[in-house]
mmCIF file of all heavy atoms in Angstrom:
data_model
loop_
_atom_site.group_PDB
_atom_site.id
_atom_site.type_symbol
_atom_site.label_atom_id
_atom_site.label_comp_id
_atom_site.label_asym_id
_atom_site.label_seq_id
_atom_site.Cartn_x
_atom_site.Cartn_y
_atom_site.Cartn_z
ATOM 1 N N ARG A 1 93.224 112.111 134.797
ATOM 2 C CA ARG A 1 94.038 113.312 135.167
ATOM 3 C C ARG A 1 95.556 112.937 135.140
ATOM 4 O O ARG A 1 95.789 111.929 135.866
ATOM 5 C CB ARG A 1 93.554 113.858 136.489
ATOM 6 C CG ARG A 1 94.337 115.196 136.700
ATOM 7 C CD ARG A 1 93.823 115.852 137.914
ATOM 8 N NE ARG A 1 92.338 115.958 137.920
ATOM 9 C CZ ARG A 1 91.684 117.153 137.378
ATOM 10 N NH1 ARG A 1 92.368 117.948 136.712
ATOM 11 N NH2 ARG A 1 90.347 117.114 137.427
ATOM 12 N N GLY A 2 96.413 113.432 134.413
ATOM 13 C CA GLY A 2 97.834 113.333 134.451
ATOM 14 C C GLY A 2 98.522 114.117 135.352
ATOM 15 O O GLY A 2 98.024 114.951 136.169
ATOM 16 N N PRO A 3 99.992 114.131 135.241
ATOM 17 C CA PRO A 3 100.702 115.022 136.237
ATOM 18 C C PRO A 3 100.449 116.485 135.850
ATOM 19 O O PRO A 3 100.220 116.823 134.715
ATOM 20 C CB PRO A 3 102.127 114.458 135.842
ATOM 21 C CG PRO A 3 102.072 113.758 134.670
ATOM 22 C CD PRO A 3 100.616 113.231 134.569
ATOM 23 N N GLY A 4 100.637 117.294 136.770
ATOM 24 C CA GLY A 4 100.447 118.730 136.555
ATOM 25 C C GLY A 4 98.964 119.110 136.194
ATOM 26 O O GLY A 4 98.770 120.096 135.476
ATOM 27 N N ARG A 5 98.071 118.357 136.712
ATOM 28 C CA ARG A 5 96.613 118.632 136.475
ATOM 29 C C ARG A 5 96.239 118.625 134.979
ATOM 30 O O ARG A 5 95.223 119.240 134.513
ATOM 31 C CB ARG A 5 96.168 119.865 137.161
ATOM 32 C CG ARG A 5 96.369 119.812 138.564
ATOM 33 C CD ARG A 5 95.739 121.113 139.419
ATOM 34 N NE ARG A 5 94.414 121.449 139.055
ATOM 35 C CZ ARG A 5 93.358 120.799 139.455
ATOM 36 N NH1 ARG A 5 93.444 119.903 140.347
ATOM 37 N NH2 ARG A 5 92.085 121.227 139.171
ATOM 38 N N LYS A 6 96.954 117.923 134.185
ATOM 39 C CA LYS A 6 96.624 117.876 132.767
ATOM 40 C C LYS A 6 95.715 116.683 132.638
ATOM 41 O O LYS A 6 95.877 115.648 133.362
ATOM 42 C CB LYS A 6 97.885 117.643 131.919
ATOM 43 C CG LYS A 6 98.845 118.832 132.029
ATOM 44 C CD LYS A 6 100.133 118.571 131.247
ATOM 45 C CE LYS A 6 101.005 119.724 131.375
ATOM 46 N NZ LYS A 6 102.319 119.428 130.807
ATOM 47 N N ARG A 7 94.839 116.752 131.776
ATOM 48 C CA ARG A 7 93.800 115.656 131.409
ATOM 49 C C ARG A 7 94.288 114.792 130.236
ATOM 50 O O ARG A 7 94.756 115.454 129.181
ATOM 51 C CB ARG A 7 92.434 116.202 131.010
ATOM 52 C CG ARG A 7 91.665 116.662 132.249
ATOM 53 C CD ARG A 7 90.851 115.482 132.823
ATOM 54 N NE ARG A 7 90.120 115.943 133.858
ATOM 55 C CZ ARG A 7 89.663 115.207 134.804
ATOM 56 N NH1 ARG A 7 89.819 113.966 134.834
ATOM 57 N NH2 ARG A 7 88.942 115.651 135.794
ATOM 58 N N LEU A 8 94.386 113.553 130.383
ATOM 59 C CA LEU A 8 94.774 112.663 129.256
ATOM 60 C C LEU A 8 93.523 111.957 128.840
ATOM 61 O O LEU A 8 92.571 111.664 129.501
ATOM 62 C CB LEU A 8 95.720 111.677 129.694
ATOM 63 C CG LEU A 8 97.024 112.151 130.277
ATOM 64 C CD1 LEU A 8 97.812 110.999 130.979
ATOM 65 C CD2 LEU A 8 97.920 112.578 129.091
ATOM 66 N N PHE A 9 93.363 111.774 127.405
ATOM 67 C CA PHE A 9 92.193 111.222 126.981
ATOM 68 C C PHE A 9 92.455 110.334 125.703
ATOM 69 O O PHE A 9 93.513 110.654 125.016
ATOM 70 C CB PHE A 9 91.024 112.252 126.641
ATOM 71 C CG PHE A 9 91.403 113.396 125.796
ATOM 72 C CD1 PHE A 9 91.252 113.207 124.307
ATOM 73 C CD2 PHE A 9 92.045 114.455 126.236
ATOM 74 C CE1 PHE A 9 91.617 114.306 123.578
ATOM 75 C CE2 PHE A 9 92.297 115.517 125.425
ATOM 76 C CZ PHE A 9 92.181 115.434 124.014
ATOM 77 N N THR A 10 91.732 109.341 125.455
ATOM 78 C CA THR A 10 91.902 108.562 124.191
ATOM 79 C C THR A 10 91.032 109.142 123.113
ATOM 80 O O THR A 10 89.844 109.648 123.331
ATOM 81 C CB THR A 10 91.618 107.136 124.436
ATOM 82 O OG1 THR A 10 90.214 106.884 124.874
ATOM 83 C CG2 THR A 10 92.560 106.522 125.495
ATOM 84 N N GLU A 11 91.473 109.125 121.925
ATOM 85 C CA GLU A 11 90.698 109.376 120.689
ATOM 86 C C GLU A 11 90.698 107.994 119.926
ATOM 87 O O GLU A 11 91.465 107.840 119.056
ATOM 88 C CB GLU A 11 91.317 110.457 119.821
ATOM 89 C CG GLU A 11 91.313 111.944 120.606
ATOM 90 C CD GLU A 11 91.831 112.915 119.849
ATOM 91 O OE1 GLU A 11 91.043 113.524 119.003
ATOM 92 O OE2 GLU A 11 92.977 113.207 119.971
ATOM 93 N N ILE A 12 89.586 107.266 120.242
ATOM 94 C CA ILE A 12 89.548 105.894 119.758
ATOM 95 C C ILE A 12 89.566 105.844 118.331
ATOM 96 O O ILE A 12 90.333 105.061 117.696
ATOM 97 C CB ILE A 12 88.279 105.182 120.299
ATOM 98 C CG1 ILE A 12 88.320 105.211 121.904
ATOM 99 C CG2 ILE A 12 87.992 103.812 119.693
ATOM 100 C CD1 ILE A 12 87.095 104.665 122.597
ATOM 101 N N ALA A 13 88.773 106.493 117.619
ATOM 102 C CA ALA A 13 88.569 106.453 116.098
ATOM 103 C C ALA A 13 89.679 107.046 115.356
ATOM 104 O O ALA A 13 90.173 106.749 114.416
ATOM 105 C CB ALA A 13 87.259 107.006 115.558
ATOM 106 N N ALA A 14 90.321 108.039 116.143
ATOM 107 C CA ALA A 14 91.543 108.709 115.500
ATOM 108 C C ALA A 14 92.920 108.004 115.776
ATOM 109 O O ALA A 14 93.978 108.388 115.118
ATOM 110 C CB ALA A 14 91.666 110.187 115.974
ATOM 111 N N GLY A 15 92.866 107.087 116.644
ATOM 112 C CA GLY A 15 94.172 106.367 116.977
ATOM 113 C C GLY A 15 95.214 107.208 117.571
ATOM 114 O O GLY A 15 96.393 107.189 117.322
ATOM 115 N N GLN A 16 94.849 108.058 118.509
ATOM 116 C CA GLN A 16 95.787 108.848 119.305
ATOM 117 C C GLN A 16 95.272 109.181 120.683
ATOM 118 O O GLN A 16 94.231 108.915 121.042
ATOM 119 C CB GLN A 16 95.960 110.193 118.389
ATOM 120 C CG GLN A 16 94.745 110.992 118.218
ATOM 121 C CD GLN A 16 95.145 112.160 117.180
ATOM 122 O OE1 GLN A 16 96.077 112.113 116.411
ATOM 123 N NE2 GLN A 16 94.210 113.132 117.107
ATOM 124 N N ILE A 17 96.206 109.719 121.420
ATOM 125 C CA ILE A 17 96.005 110.054 122.750
ATOM 126 C C ILE A 17 96.096 111.630 122.781
ATOM 127 O O ILE A 17 96.974 112.295 122.123
ATOM 128 C CB ILE A 17 97.017 109.512 123.716
ATOM 129 C CG1 ILE A 17 97.073 107.949 123.621
ATOM 130 C CG2 ILE A 17 96.907 109.977 125.210
ATOM 131 C CD1 ILE A 17 95.708 107.301 123.944
ATOM 132 N N GLY A 18 95.271 112.280 123.637
ATOM 133 C CA GLY A 18 95.354 113.762 123.783
ATOM 134 C C GLY A 18 95.687 114.086 125.261
ATOM 135 O O GLY A 18 95.412 113.385 126.142
ATOM 136 N N ARG A 19 96.189 115.287 125.323
ATOM 137 C CA ARG A 19 96.486 115.754 126.634
ATOM 138 C C ARG A 19 96.018 117.232 126.723
ATOM 139 O O ARG A 19 96.312 118.087 125.765
ATOM 140 C CB ARG A 19 98.033 115.864 126.917
ATOM 141 C CG ARG A 19 98.400 116.410 128.317
ATOM 142 C CD ARG A 19 99.813 116.450 128.573
ATOM 143 N NE ARG A 19 100.378 115.089 128.616
ATOM 144 C CZ ARG A 19 101.618 114.831 128.278
ATOM 145 N NH1 ARG A 19 102.576 115.718 128.098
ATOM 146 N NH2 ARG A 19 102.023 113.546 128.512
ATOM 147 N N ARG A 20 95.110 117.533 127.721
ATOM 148 C CA ARG A 20 94.646 118.931 127.898
ATOM 149 C C ARG A 20 95.234 119.650 129.036
ATOM 150 O O ARG A 20 95.088 119.125 130.129
ATOM 151 C CB ARG A 20 93.055 118.849 127.920
ATOM 152 C CG ARG A 20 92.424 120.288 128.037
ATOM 153 C CD ARG A 20 90.896 120.037 128.251
ATOM 154 N NE ARG A 20 90.265 121.387 128.524
ATOM 155 C CZ ARG A 20 90.261 121.851 129.763
ATOM 156 N NH1 ARG A 20 90.730 121.231 130.787
ATOM 157 N NH2 ARG A 20 89.704 122.976 129.943
ATOM 158 N N ALA A 21 95.886 120.695 128.806
ATOM 159 C CA ALA A 21 96.494 121.413 129.916
ATOM 160 C C ALA A 21 95.453 122.317 130.605
ATOM 161 O O ALA A 21 94.339 122.519 130.045
ATOM 162 C CB ALA A 21 97.646 122.402 129.371
ATOM 163 N N PRO A 22 95.671 122.743 131.868
ATOM 164 C CA PRO A 22 94.691 123.410 132.704
ATOM 165 C C PRO A 22 94.173 124.638 131.913
ATOM 166 O O PRO A 22 92.971 125.016 132.004
ATOM 167 C CB PRO A 22 95.478 123.887 133.874
ATOM 168 C CG PRO A 22 96.542 122.739 133.995
ATOM 169 C CD PRO A 22 96.893 122.346 132.738
ATOM 170 N N GLY A 23 94.945 125.289 131.087
ATOM 171 C CA GLY A 23 94.525 126.523 130.327
ATOM 172 C C GLY A 23 93.792 126.218 129.118
ATOM 173 O O GLY A 23 93.200 127.112 128.410
ATOM 174 N N GLY A 24 93.548 124.909 128.754
ATOM 175 C CA GLY A 24 92.700 124.442 127.647
ATOM 176 C C GLY A 24 93.455 123.984 126.426
ATOM 177 O O GLY A 24 92.895 123.417 125.548
ATOM 178 N N ARG A 25 94.835 124.290 126.406
ATOM 179 C CA ARG A 25 95.600 123.787 125.245
ATOM 180 C C ARG A 25 95.594 122.285 125.133
ATOM 181 O O ARG A 25 95.831 121.565 126.168
ATOM 182 C CB ARG A 25 97.080 124.386 125.427
ATOM 183 C CG ARG A 25 97.907 123.949 124.175
ATOM 184 C CD ARG A 25 99.203 124.679 124.249
ATOM 185 N NE ARG A 25 100.067 124.215 123.162
ATOM 186 C CZ ARG A 25 101.216 123.644 123.284
ATOM 187 N NH1 ARG A 25 101.690 123.435 124.374
ATOM 188 N NH2 ARG A 25 101.895 123.231 122.195
ATOM 189 N N ILE A 26 95.356 121.744 123.995
ATOM 190 C CA ILE A 26 95.407 120.317 123.705
ATOM 191 C C ILE A 26 96.513 119.981 122.793
ATOM 192 O O ILE A 26 96.811 120.567 121.709
ATOM 193 C CB ILE A 26 94.048 119.986 122.967
ATOM 194 C CG1 ILE A 26 92.829 120.193 124.020
ATOM 195 C CG2 ILE A 26 93.987 118.517 122.599
ATOM 196 C CD1 ILE A 26 91.554 119.814 123.535
ATOM 197 N N THR A 27 97.217 118.823 123.310
ATOM 198 C CA THR A 27 98.350 118.315 122.507
ATOM 199 C C THR A 27 97.895 116.819 122.141
ATOM 200 O O THR A 27 97.392 116.177 123.083
ATOM 201 C CB THR A 27 99.666 118.363 123.281
ATOM 202 O OG1 THR A 27 99.895 119.622 123.654
ATOM 203 C CG2 THR A 27 100.778 117.723 122.461
ATOM 204 N N GLU A 28 98.049 116.456 120.998
ATOM 205 C CA GLU A 28 97.647 115.024 120.485
ATOM 206 C C GLU A 28 98.896 114.295 120.106
ATOM 207 O O GLU A 28 99.793 114.834 119.479
ATOM 208 C CB GLU A 28 96.638 115.122 119.377
ATOM 209 C CG GLU A 28 95.402 115.811 119.709
ATOM 210 C CD GLU A 28 94.439 116.107 118.682
ATOM 211 O OE1 GLU A 28 94.836 116.761 117.690
ATOM 212 O OE2 GLU A 28 93.231 115.639 118.736
ATOM 213 N N TYR A 29 98.832 112.992 120.531
ATOM 214 C CA TYR A 29 99.953 112.122 120.205
ATOM 215 C C TYR A 29 99.489 110.921 119.357
ATOM 216 O O TYR A 29 98.817 109.989 119.850
ATOM 217 C CB TYR A 29 100.572 111.574 121.449
ATOM 218 C CG TYR A 29 101.003 112.666 122.412
ATOM 219 C CD1 TYR A 29 100.198 113.177 123.474
ATOM 220 C CD2 TYR A 29 102.272 113.203 122.351
ATOM 221 C CE1 TYR A 29 100.573 114.170 124.310
ATOM 222 C CE2 TYR A 29 102.719 114.264 123.177
ATOM 223 C CZ TYR A 29 101.836 114.605 124.123
ATOM 224 O OH TYR A 29 102.276 115.727 124.955
ATOM 225 N N PRO A 30 99.738 111.028 118.115
ATOM 226 C CA PRO A 30 99.357 109.900 117.171
ATOM 227 C C PRO A 30 100.092 108.590 117.534
ATOM 228 O O PRO A 30 101.225 108.631 117.804
ATOM 229 C CB PRO A 30 99.708 110.390 115.717
ATOM 230 C CG PRO A 30 100.012 111.763 115.874
ATOM 231 C CD PRO A 30 100.321 112.041 117.265
ATOM 232 N N LEU A 31 99.375 107.463 117.579
ATOM 233 C CA LEU A 31 99.993 106.213 117.739
ATOM 234 C C LEU A 31 100.604 105.708 116.520
ATOM 235 O O LEU A 31 100.083 106.049 115.484
ATOM 236 C CB LEU A 31 98.938 105.235 118.357
ATOM 237 C CG LEU A 31 98.245 105.723 119.640
ATOM 238 C CD1 LEU A 31 97.140 104.734 120.093
ATOM 239 C CD2 LEU A 31 99.357 105.825 120.740
ATOM 240 N N PRO A 32 101.665 104.841 116.547
ATOM 241 C CA PRO A 32 102.281 104.285 115.364
ATOM 242 C C PRO A 32 101.219 103.554 114.497
ATOM 243 O O PRO A 32 101.413 103.701 113.262
ATOM 244 C CB PRO A 32 103.233 103.267 115.953
ATOM 245 C CG PRO A 32 103.573 103.747 117.332
ATOM 246 C CD PRO A 32 102.370 104.427 117.823
#
């Protein structure tokens, strides 16, 4: 759980991090 009650998660095979907002919106951050 990150700030503002957002969930952070790893996407191991995809090489990125995701953030899920309380309303369900998911933002993904690709790693270099």
Side-chain angles (χ1 to χ4, degrees):
R1 190 174 304 279
R5 299 188 47 83
K6 296 176 182 172
R7 284 274 182 197
L8 300 168
F9 56 92
T10 61
E11 293 182 85
I12 296 170
Q16 57 192 18
I17 303 301
R19 180 182 294 157
R20 182 181 171 275
R25 180 172 179 240
I26 293 178
T27 305
E28 295 173 310
Y29 303 96
L31 299 176

